[in-house]
Amino acid sequence: MDLSVPSHANIKYMIEGIKTKLRMASGAAMQASAFSLEQYEDIHDVYDMVISKPNLSISEVEAIVSELGRLRKSS
């Protein structure tokens, strides 16, 4: 998968990867459809950081979830 190309499929792939890495119990709360292509670069940056770390501290997980919440489309 070429993540350098912004697409909804790539956003879905990255969000699913982040949810898996964070072991989110309520992954349904973070749907890929809640994110806009306008936020692609920011989501990609978060994805790269999350995937590159072997372990995440509780404070890092909280900061990541907070950042993703900020990036979600306002409904």
Side-chain angles (χ1 to χ4, degrees):
M1 179 162 280
D2 182 5
L3 296 179
S4 66
V5 179
S7 72
H8 291 290
N10 285 349
I11 288 176
K12 181 176 180 177
Y13 176 84
M14 290 187 292
I15 295 299
E16 292 302 317
I18 291 168
K19 288 188 327 189
T20 299
K21 183 77 176 200
L22 298 182
R23 292 185 221 127
M24 292 186 68
S26 61
M30 187 174 25
Q31 297 294 321
S33 60
F35 297 91
S36 162
L37 279 178
E38 295 170 0
Q39 304 299 335
Y40 189 85
E41 290 301 319
D42 294 324
I43 296 166
H44 193 267
D45 290 343
V46 171
Y47 173 80
D48 284 343
M49 189 273 299
V50 168
I51 297 304
S52 70
K53 290 186 159 270
N55 298 307
L56 295 163
S57 70
I58 292 171
S59 61
E60 286 174 317
V61 170
E62 290 173 350
I64 292 163
V65 170
S66 175
E67 178 65 10
L68 290 172
R70 187 186 69 76
L71 293 173
R72 284 177 33 164
K73 290 189 241 178
S74 52
S75 301

